[in-house]
Amino acid sequence: MLTLADYSPEEIDYLLELAEEIKTKHKNGEIVQPLKGKILGMIFEKSSTRTRVSFESGIYQLGGTGLFLSSKDIQLGRGEPISDTAKVLSGYLDGIMIRTFSQADVEELAENASIPVINGLTDDYHPCQVLADLQTIKEVKGSLKGKKIAYIGDGNNMANSLMIGAAKMGLDVAIAAPEGYQPSPAITEKAKGFAVGTEVLVTSDPVEAVKDADVIYTDVWASMGQESEQLEREKHFANFQVNDELFSYAKTDAIFMHCLPAHRGEEVSAEVIDGKQSVVFQQAENRLHAQKALMVALMG
């Protein structure tokens, strides 16, 4: 799983159905361990709360073991080629999850590994998050097709993956970002190529994006590695906060989503993220179930 662009709508739907089944059994107290004895290596060049805890808890609940591998603790951090690391780890593990900066590094790892590789996040894509997002929308709204998701904020890895995931699964998607911070034109065109009877819109007008939306989504204005740009970004994104006023342009039953961590008072007001239409913690929990489904599908 390097990017959702590689998966057909049928494959994504299968993963969502499997995630729903796994979640239901988990909630009912059933112990399901199809990955008994399997080991997932988890390489982290970017720190995380949700990615680490959900993958490590998930592989344990499925009967396997998660092995945390900080880039500071393995030879990647001392210059060992990614190809060598991939071949060595393939002899020890049953799967690799990597959370890093470069998408090219994940692709090189996958090309040289003989075991499944999961993209836990790169600067370009965040496919595991979008699987959980789609699962959440389906749970709350009952279906995906025909719904509209509006993403307000930085045209980052979340915007990229949401465009692709939404287009694949029959949702309209509108991205509102300031000029100079919009998603990659190449990835935008890729997403448009997946849209059948739906729209992929990129605009600099947040109101245009949220009009008649079923879902409003945002992310931090400065992602990990962009901390030095925080003050400059705050100036450009000042009119892109998701608040009650912006929310009023969406459908009355619209839900609010955020991949977390959130900065209340910046990209989203406290009233919205802590309000009755927010599903951010249901969304965060679904990282566990969606990723368990992914691990079962790839490693089982």
Side-chain angles (χ1 to χ4, degrees):
M1 168 63 84
L2 307 183
T3 162
L4 287 173
D6 299 331
Y7 279 55
S8 69
E10 292 76 19
E11 288 170 327
I12 295 172
D13 197 50
Y14 167 77
L15 289 172
L16 296 178
E17 289 180 4
L18 182 57
E20 181 182 357
E21 178 185 342
I22 286 172
K23 182 176 181 178
T24 299
K25 290 181 177 179
H26 179 75
K27 294 292 186 182
N28 290 335
E30 294 183 49
I31 297 175
V32 181
Q33 297 190 327
L35 300 186
K36 195 168 185 178
K38 302 279 187 176
I39 303 174
L40 176 74
M42 305 182 300
I43 300 174
F44 283 88
E45 289 193 301
K46 282 189 175 184
S47 58
S48 168
T49 298
R50 279 149 291 275
T51 299
R52 178 173 179 183
V53 176
S54 57
F55 268 108
E56 195 161 346
S57 298
I59 188 68
Y60 177 79
Q61 291 171 10
L62 293 170
T65 299
L67 188 61
F68 176 77
L69 302 170
S70 166
S71 60
K72 297 176 183 177
D73 300 328
I74 60 176
Q75 297 302 321
L76 267 180
R78 298 180 62 244
E80 181 176 46
I82 293 172
S83 57
D84 288 0
T85 297
K87 292 167 185 173
V88 169
L89 293 182
S90 294
Y92 300 148
L93 305 170
D94 301 287
I96 300 170
M97 187 285 298
I98 179 169
R99 181 180 169 96
T100 188
F101 295 89
S102 169
Q103 180 71 16
D105 287 351
V106 177
E107 292 173 359
E108 184 179 355
L109 186 72
E111 286 171 8
N112 288 277
S114 58
I115 56 177
V117 171
I118 298 171
N119 177 1
L121 175 142
T122 65
D123 288 345
D124 290 333
Y125 296 107
H126 199 354
C128 292
Q129 178 66 56
V130 174
L131 279 178
D133 297 340
L134 293 171
Q135 181 185 354
T136 306
I137 296 169
K138 190 176 179 183
E139 285 176 348
V140 177
K141 295 295 182 180
S143 63
L144 295 174
K145 287 187 178 179
K147 301 296 187 292
K148 177 183 176 181
I149 182 168
Y151 173 92
I152 312 300
D154 188 26
N156 59 14
N157 48 13
M158 278 310 316
N160 293 340
S161 288
L162 279 170
M163 282 194 299
I164 291 170
K168 289 257 185 184
M169 300 309 290
L171 293 89
D172 290 317
V173 58
I175 308 292
E179 297 289 343
Y181 294 94
Q182 294 182 346
S184 150
I187 294 177
T188 301
E189 288 306 308
K190 182 185 291 188
K192 288 181 177 180
F194 297 135
V196 178
T198 55
E199 184 181 23
V200 176
L201 170 70
V202 176
T203 177
S204 57
D205 183 356
V207 173
E208 180 185 16
V210 304
K211 187 178 179 182
D212 297 324
D214 299 280
V215 181
I216 298 180
Y217 199 121
T218 192
D219 191 9
V220 295
W221 291 339
S223 298
M224 198 175 298
Q226 299 172 334
E227 289 82 1
S228 63
E229 303 175 23
Q230 178 70 32
L231 294 179
E232 181 67 20
R233 284 171 171 264
E234 285 178 9
K235 298 175 187 176
H236 291 281
F237 285 89
N239 296 323
F240 286 79
Q241 184 188 80
V242 177
N243 49 36
D244 287 337
E245 181 183 355
L246 186 61
F247 226 91
S248 69
Y249 293 95
K251 290 183 179 177
T252 55
D253 63 346
I255 59 173
F256 173 73
M257 301 181 75
H258 193 306
C259 55
L260 302 180
H263 296 159
R264 288 164 174 78
E266 291 183 20
E267 74 273 7
V268 60
S269 67
E271 291 75 19
V272 168
I273 192 171
D274 297 321
K276 62 182 181 179
Q277 289 169 280
S278 174
V279 296
V280 296
F281 297 113
Q282 178 179 348
Q283 176 190 1
E285 181 190 332
N286 281 338
R287 287 287 302 276
L288 171 68
H289 309 298
Q291 289 163 186
K292 285 169 73 173
L294 184 60
M295 287 188 283
V296 169
L298 294 181
M299 295 169 60

